[in-house]
Amino acid sequence: MVKINCTSYNNLKTKKMRNKYSKKYIYLWFLLLMLSLPGLAQQKVFTGSVNDNNGRPIANALVTIKELSGTIVFTDNEGKFSITGETDQILEVKTRDNRYKSLRITGDQIAVTIGDNDELISIGNRMELRKGEITSAIGFTKADELSKSSVMNPANALYGKIPGLTILQNGGTNWNNDPTMFIRGVETFGSGAIVNTNILVMVDGFERPISSLSMAEIESVAVLKDAAALAMYGMRGANGVLLVTTKRGTGTGLSVDVNYERGVTKAFRLPNFLNSYNYATAVNQARLNDGLDARYSQPELNRFQSGNSPFLYPNVNWIDQGLRDYGFTDKFNVSFQQQTSSVRYYTLLNFDNEQGLLGPVKLNQGYDTQVKSHNFSFRTNLEFDITNTTKVTANVAGSLGEAQRPGSSYSSENDIISAIYNTPSSAFPVWTHNPENRLTKNFGGTSTWPNNPVALISANGFTLEGKREVMTDFLLEQQLDKLLSGLTIEAGVSFDRSFIYQDSKSKTVLYETLSPVLDPTTHDIVDSTSQIYGSNTALSFNTSVPTFRRRITLVGNLKYSKEWGDNELKSILLFQSEELAMTGQNNTYRHLLTAANVHYGKSDKYFADLSLSYSGTNILPKNSRYGFFPALSFAWKLSNEDFLKGNTIFDDLKLRASWGMTGNDQVIQNIAVSPYVGSSNYYFSTNNTTNWGMREGRLASSPLTYETSYKTNIGIDASLFKMLDLTIDGFYDKRKGILVQTAGLESVVLGVLTPYSSTGIVSNKGIELGLNLHKSTGDLLYHLGGQFSYAHNKILNMEESYQPYDYLKRTGQSINQAFGLEAIGFFANDADIAASPKQTFSPVRPGDVKYKDQNGDGIINAFDQVPIGHSTQCPEIYYSGSIGAEFKGVGIDAVFQGISNKTTYLNTPGIFWPLVSNTNISTYSDNAWTPATAATATLPRLTMSSNANNYQPNSIWLVDGSYLKLRSVELYYNLPGKLVSKMKLQAVMVYLRGMNLFSIDKIKYVDPEAIGIVYPTVSSYNVGIQIRF
Amino acid sequence: MTKDTIFSNLEYATRFLNSCYYFLPYAFPTTDGGGPVYRSKIGMDVIEAMTDLSQCDLGWAGLQTYTYQGQVSPTAANYINGYSGIPYGFTDEGTWMGIRNCFIFLENINKVPNVDPAYLKRIKAEAWSIIAIEHYDMFRHFGGLPWINHAFKPSEDLSKFPRLTAQAYCDSIVAVIDKYAGDLPWTVSPSEEGRLTQAGMLAIKARLLLFNASPLFNDAAPYLDGDASQQKLVWHGGYDKNLWKRAADAAHDLIVKVEATNDYHFYHKAGNTYRQDFQQGYSQRGSSEILISTRTEYFRATWAWAGYQFDLMAAIFGANNPTDDYVKMFQMTNGKSITDPASGYDPTNPYINRDPRLYESVLVNGDAYQGRTAELYIGGRERLTDGQDQNKEGYQLRKFINDADWATMMDRIVQFPLIRLEEVYLTYAEADNEFNGGPSAEDYRCINLVRARVGMPPVPAGLTQIEFREAILLERAVEFYQEEVRWNDLTRWKRENDLTKPLHGMNIYQSETDPTKFTYVTSLVNPRYWATNWSPKWYLSCFPQDEMNKNYGLVQNPGW
């Protein structure tokens, strides 16, 4: 103990000494610097003002003089500042929203105008450019846009925020509902178990999952879309890159932001299942349709309806029993930030809490089994100017989270939802009371439906999942002006580590089936029988570490910038090495990247970028693991040309064009050689001896390569009438080298798994449109925004196997294009069946789906499948609209987002496919065929069999998946400034916010984005307060 | 590891040969059927449930879901939704993988240094024998097939390897056996038990030739017309009596050799009952009557491995319920059929004094079971309700799973008897009867030997050719339950009647007054699709359309 104290004391002492020493060192530097400045005596005070394009003052902007590190001032509320310096020095102004301008001091009065084009945009790979000089296709959004969402996972705040970024919501709990993300749609298809459409997400320049962050710490999000932006990512850029930048310390004094929010969540949509009387009637109808006797007699049906025999003829609404109406969320965070002459820091503490939607969770002594999660996360971003040429950045972030759900580690919340949805209301009572022994109370259950939802929720124990994650990075930047003016070197390292452990405490319970004994003629209940199965066990324990992830990145770069005349040159040479290790075998991934970019600007009118990268991956075999990716791009800023000077339409007009290459290395590993693997053991001898086997694995896939995307892009950025911002992009991509299966070409007599071949080709083209109108008249501010993305892909080659008919070919269609049979009605009667082409899937009866014989061969089989609708994977059209207004501190904002050109396969048993495999029946089936409703029915007859005929993929189940959702709506009030300052505060805002409130779509019965049996997606209603001290 | 490493030392090369053995036919489910799993014939089911002997009542198994509904077609000939729908999946069984592995072995084994020449000869013969067995197994389900004679390369032109005629294909297999069986040891020591022997391969040859001589291929007219019949891929083009002679000779050669030594004989252990002899004879590794057995992993004490490695779980789930029609095939111990008024059969007490093989094949109500008596009446422990899938037909599978006792199943070694000595005797008797137009004394001796082993009296003398044929087929049904014999007996004899006849179960009701008294009421099994929509196409399996689409000239079997 003592020793430890001593050590820490010593540490403290040395740290203090070091501080002292470093301060001294800095003073020395200053001294030297001052001595070296010849015109010391000419220093004087300059005054000036900072305004935006519309002449509005910009408060709190940072004003510095480049030559005088340590001299910093901020503008006041009128945008005014005064600073000590001298003529001919460079004045630099940076606003809180990252706009930047530098100019040479000439007169005593300095007027600085900073427009939108002066915003510094991170374009990836440690490069930053002013918006006005960017030549590539980059979309972005900022904190003030994103903070209008109440989400745990920041990815869920990105719906419709950036043109070209498609975000599709998934079902599941907040803890693990990462949405699916695509940039410019899809242009590759996975082979085997590989999902190679993943985009690359970079946080502060290092690859990290966006779900590891909290909404509050994000400053901006950018999407890199064309080759000019992506070539620098070498073999990892082809699917697009999402850049996330976290907040940095800024502001005159210490500012503290506190945000608390309470939310109520509610299932977005839940299917309606039939009550027991209607269920039993439907079963009778289905059996009648199948040519079988009714299962339930009229007296039995009456008992379901009357509810007089709740144990033998129950009517249980399992959604009411298993789910509660509302869940709750809490979000609390506090952040501190400040900028001083040599230190900038931003610190955030964030706490999220979610209580889920399950109902009967408190039936146990001492613990509840609700689906819930708590997550505590933190971030500290530090920047030190150690000297006026040396900057250190150190960022530390992380989280400690815990999630809980009922059941064992082998089950999931989706299993519970499955039991709730697919146990008919008539199956059994929640609890049985044995008539002979009223004291016992057992869970109901039957051999057909052994999963009593209430038992699953409340009596099978629970599983805890703990997640710990730490993300650290450290960067050192040194200006080398002494060596060469404009030269900077930077080196950095990041170390991230996360793991999840699971602690499962599970048990089983006893179930009881009560069956009535009926009088065979009168159907009166004369007796009942009871059958017990399963058993009550004690809680058993099981702990495991299912996931572990460690990522180390080393990065170094050399930047050089120079201005001469009206020429501007910025360049970077970058080297990056990263390693990702995860649980499991063959799960270490290494990447090397050398990249260079030269940006040249002339007269603030003409810009050009050349990017080159040479990139390597350990996923590919040694002889083919490196690739070279060039890109070239141009921009012409027409609005700065003389012929457009003084025009009243365009405030800003820029044309862009780019062409280049980028790659994707997310391919199957270890397939370049045919491995001889241990498997297929055999068992000779008369005892248990195992004789190990070895055999040939899959044939070698060679030559094996990464995917290369050839991307062409043209775009326009414009600003009109001082109120309208417009961005239009058009692109044509061609992806080559996609891994495809050759099993379709090789006969099975080959006797071995066939190789893959890197010969797949997909083209992808589309347009993006972003529109933003903002205006203020008097106290009223309003804005209107719209975004539209369209991307259409086409498979040009996939080594498809022989297809006897052209319409069966997948080549030429979109990736994951839906194929199915064309339904042309329902069979009216046996004569109709006899007169129609023979349907081969299963015996058909009247009321079954009648299909179109596409090839006219008189037989309906898989050869009659045609493309129906669009792809089932990614919508071709993704759009959004936003609207907002503010008047005297009261404001409203809303974001709508929709998709189109996507097909959804309604194949969920129980919800869309009634009664299949002992599942349930929902109100979706209300319009099923019966002889009486034959004329108006939209769905085939009810049936108890698996009826392969009706449940083929066909035009009944393949439906238009488009929707338009209200993603967020917010009503807020900023307390008046006078009141706030009386309270010694800087700003106070209270708000009411709704998320995912409604959807307009054709699926109606469930969330169109989560049609399966999954933990429901939610709407949420939140009330919150934000205080800035 | 690469090919060069494997064939640089004998240890690895031996392991490679082990994996060739792995692909030998195995009749029982080894998984629940999630996708193509090699050597798992028909998903969760057994081929016996395609016959009149067993019924699959497991609602989600492939037979019940697809095959019984008539949903088998070339487009649905692979695994459908994870469950196999046909008796033999051309692309799913792994036989082609077995053949390829054997050729890789044969093409590379000479690279292994320092192998004893005699041993080298033997292991090469083993690889050739495995190739022969894989082909013979497919022959019974498809007729003539492409004869691939090396480890095929993707670049080769497969159209140069068309389907052979049924006769040529059969002859190719026989030629391999004739050439290499002599290099195999006649018998092996207990530590090598399970490796192929000369006796085993000669038995396969007899079985193959019997199938080849049977009316399915050997008849005046094809079983169904079509391209494959016209090209003689599934028909010999006429009736040739001498094919029976070839089969009889092959079987007789083996019988002569077996009887000259004492290495193989019908299993008998001193002090055993007939039932015990019968049971241990088929189930015990190293049993003196097993000529070839194939193996999978023994039961492990974990659910996933133990349950699906064998048909225990499948049977318990109801995938393999014996029918009442099968139970009725077993004669009384006096050798008389139960339909014979003189047999002494008592319908109110039907399971006494029957052929002892009944009790070891099917668990019947009241027989000793798990240290008590079996309760197969409705409400009994083996049949809790009449609706449950398990034992739905009133009987439980007994062969191979015995008491279905979890504790004793664990860590027990298992095997599938691919061919037993009894079959060789019956093969001879059958083929000789057909060749001669009636049974000879030797034919009687052969069948009666098989019967005598379980204490059954001889078949009556003076039978006609047809009566004797029926006696043989009956004998094969009661002797080889679950051994993949019945399906091919029905197909090769074109037994449409047996495949389409109504099948029955048994509902047993316990008397409420006297628990020892039962009422026996037969029930009707839901007819299978082909029972009402018969087509001879069912005798052979179809090729998947995917495979046909590869356009190398594969000719589809008739009717599909």
Side-chain angles (χ1 to χ4, degrees), chain A residues 105-362:
Chain A
I105 302 173
T106 48
D108 291 356
Q109 282 288 323
I110 309 162
V112 184
T113 307
I114 294 191
D116 286 344
N117 275 320
D118 296 318
E119 184 172 351
L120 283 178
I121 304 285
S122 170
I123 59 167
N125 280 318
R126 322 223 153 262
M127 294 183 291
E128 223 176 22
L129 284 178
R130 286 189 306 114
K131 191 177 167 189
E133 59 184 359
I134 291 175
T135 62
S136 52
I138 299 179
F140 42 87
T141 183
K142 289 187 289 182
D144 51 351
E145 289 281 324
L146 298 170
S147 63
K148 293 184 182 303
S149 295
S150 295
V151 294
M152 304 272 177
N153 180 348
N156 284 319
L158 295 173
Y159 298 108
K161 289 290 197 300
I162 304 173
L165 176 66
T166 297
I167 307 258
L168 303 174
Q169 192 177 1
N170 288 316
T173 59
N174 265 335
W175 180 252
N176 49 15
N177 66 343
D178 284 339
T180 308
M181 299 196 270
F182 300 112
I183 292 172
R184 290 191 162 169
V186 180
E187 58 180 54
T188 183
F189 38 80
S191 290
I194 294 292
V195 180
N196 59 353
T197 55
N198 290 337
I199 65 169
L200 179 64
V201 179
M202 307 290 282
V203 177
D204 293 332
F206 298 103
E207 190 185 354
R208 283 160 183 164
I210 190 171
S211 59
S212 300
L213 305 181
S214 65
M215 200 59 256
E217 67 203 87
I218 294 180
E219 173 62 34
S220 67
V221 177
V223 171
L224 312 186
K225 301 186 278 199
D226 71 344
L230 296 167
M232 290 284 281
Y233 286 89
M235 227 175 260
R236 309 200 64 199
N239 291 339
V241 174
L242 190 79
L243 295 179
V244 182
T245 309
T246 62
K247 287 177 177 162
R248 323 295 309 176
T250 176
T252 41
L254 166 68
S255 64
V256 179
D257 289 275
V258 177
N259 181 197
Y260 174 72
E261 187 181 298
R262 174 77 166 166
V264 175
T265 58
K266 176 177 164 295
F268 183 78
R269 273 179 200 168
L270 291 171
N272 281 317
F273 296 102
L274 302 191
N275 65 27
S276 62
Y277 170 76
N278 289 334
Y279 169 84
T281 312
V283 167
N284 280 354
Q285 178 66 49
R287 287 179 61 89
L288 191 69
N289 293 342
D290 290 339
L292 303 170
D293 299 335
R295 176 169 297 167
Y296 300 99
S297 64
Q298 193 56 47
E300 289 184 290
L301 292 175
N302 294 345
R303 267 171 232 137
F304 279 126
Q305 199 167 27
S306 72
N308 289 340
S309 312
F311 299 112
L312 294 173
Y313 293 90
N315 178 24
V316 184
N317 184 328
W318 289 109
I319 287 183
D320 287 354
Q321 291 294 330
L323 299 178
R324 57 177 179 171
D325 292 341
Y326 298 102
F328 298 95
T329 59
D330 296 282
K331 288 168 71 69
F332 172 78
N333 61 61
V334 53
S335 68
F336 308 85
Q337 58 178 318
Q338 190 170 8
Q339 174 167 31
T340 69
S341 58
S342 60
V343 176
R344 290 166 293 282
Y345 68 85
Y346 170 85
T347 293
L348 171 83
L349 301 175
N350 181 70
F351 179 74
D352 289 337
N353 173 39
E354 189 206 3
Q355 300 280 330
L357 294 169
L358 298 183
V361 294
K362 298 223 158 93

Side-chain angles (χ1 to χ4, degrees), chain A residues 676 680 682-688 692-696 743 746-748 750-751 802 841-842 863, chain B residues 1 3 15-16 18-19 71 97 100 104 158 190 193 285 294-295 298 411 413 545 547 549-550 552:
Chain A
Y676 277 59
S680 320
Y682 205 69
Y683 306 90
F684 295 122
S685 90
T686 52
N687 54 42
N688 268 341
W692 302 108
M694 291 184 112
R695 68 179 157 102
E696 186 189 26
E746 304 294 348
S747 163
V748 70
L750 186 64
Y802 170 79
F841 308 101
S842 60
F863 292 157
Chain B
M1 206 174 272
K3 197 195 277 183
R15 290 188 179 194
F16 195 86
N18 291 344
S19 78
Q71 288 187 21
M97 283 198 169
R100 179 187 181 82
I104 291 177
L158 194 59
E193 199 269 323
R285 282 195 189 172
T294 59
R295 288 94 188 281
Y298 53 89
D411 295 331
I413 49 175
Q545 194 61 41
E547 194 64 20
N549 288 354
K550 287 168 193 163
Y552 60 88

Side-chain angles (χ1 to χ4, degrees), chain B residues 209-230:
Chain B
L209 288 172
L210 183 75
F211 191 92
N212 189 53
S214 297
L216 182 65
F217 295 162
N218 186 24
D219 207 346
Y223 71 90
L224 188 62
D225 206 6
D227 287 350
S229 301
Q230 290 306 314

Side-chain angles (χ1 to χ4, degrees), chain A residues 59 65 69 270 326 622 630 862 910 957 963:
Chain A
I65 290 175
S69 167
L270 291 171
Y326 298 102
K622 281 208 171 92
W957 312 117
Y963 58 80

Side-chain angles (χ1 to χ4, degrees), chain A residues 447 531 673-677 679-696 699 743-753 755 801-804 838 840-843 861-863 946-949, chain B residues 1-3 6 12 15-16 18-19 21-24 38 65 69 71 75 90-91 96-97 100-101 104 148 152-154 158 190-195 285-286 293-298 384 411 413 529 545 547 549-552:
Chain A
S447 61
Q531 188 193 327
V673 289
S674 173
Y676 277 59
V677 291
S679 73
S680 320
N681 303 331
Y682 205 69
Y683 306 90
F684 295 122
S685 90
T686 52
N687 54 42
N688 268 341
T689 310
T690 300
N691 300 94
W692 302 108
M694 291 184 112
R695 68 179 157 102
E696 186 189 26
L699 285 183
L745 306 176
E746 304 294 348
S747 163
V748 70
V749 305
L750 186 64
V752 61
L753 294 172
S801 55
Y802 170 79
Q803 298 282 12
K838 184 174 164 43
T840 57
F841 308 101
S842 60
N861 54 19
F863 292 157
S946 55
N947 202 316
N949 182 72
Chain B
M1 206 174 272
T2 64
K3 197 195 277 183
I6 297 279
Y12 287 149
R15 290 188 179 194
F16 195 86
N18 291 344
S19 78
Y21 268 94
Y22 169 87
F23 288 102
L24 286 174
Y38 308 122
T65 328
Q69 323 292 335
Q71 288 187 21
T75 48
F90 186 67
T91 54
W96 290 109
M97 283 198 169
R100 179 187 181 82
N101 274 343
I104 291 177
I148 307 291
F152 205 74
K153 292 179 195 65
L158 194 59
S191 66
E192 290 195 313
E193 199 269 323
R195 294 181 69 165
R285 282 195 189 172
S293 65
T294 59
R295 288 94 188 281
T296 183
E297 192 168 11
Y298 53 89
L384 296 165
D411 295 331
I413 49 175
Y529 175 81
Q545 194 61 41
E547 194 64 20
N549 288 354
K550 287 168 193 163
N551 255 358
Y552 60 88

Side-chain angles (χ1 to χ4, degrees), chain A residues 708-723:
Chain A
T708 305
S709 181
Y710 300 81
K711 294 180 190 279
T712 311
N713 191 88
I714 52 169
I716 301 170
D717 298 323
S719 210
L720 295 89
F721 309 114
K722 298 203 184 300
M723 55 186 272

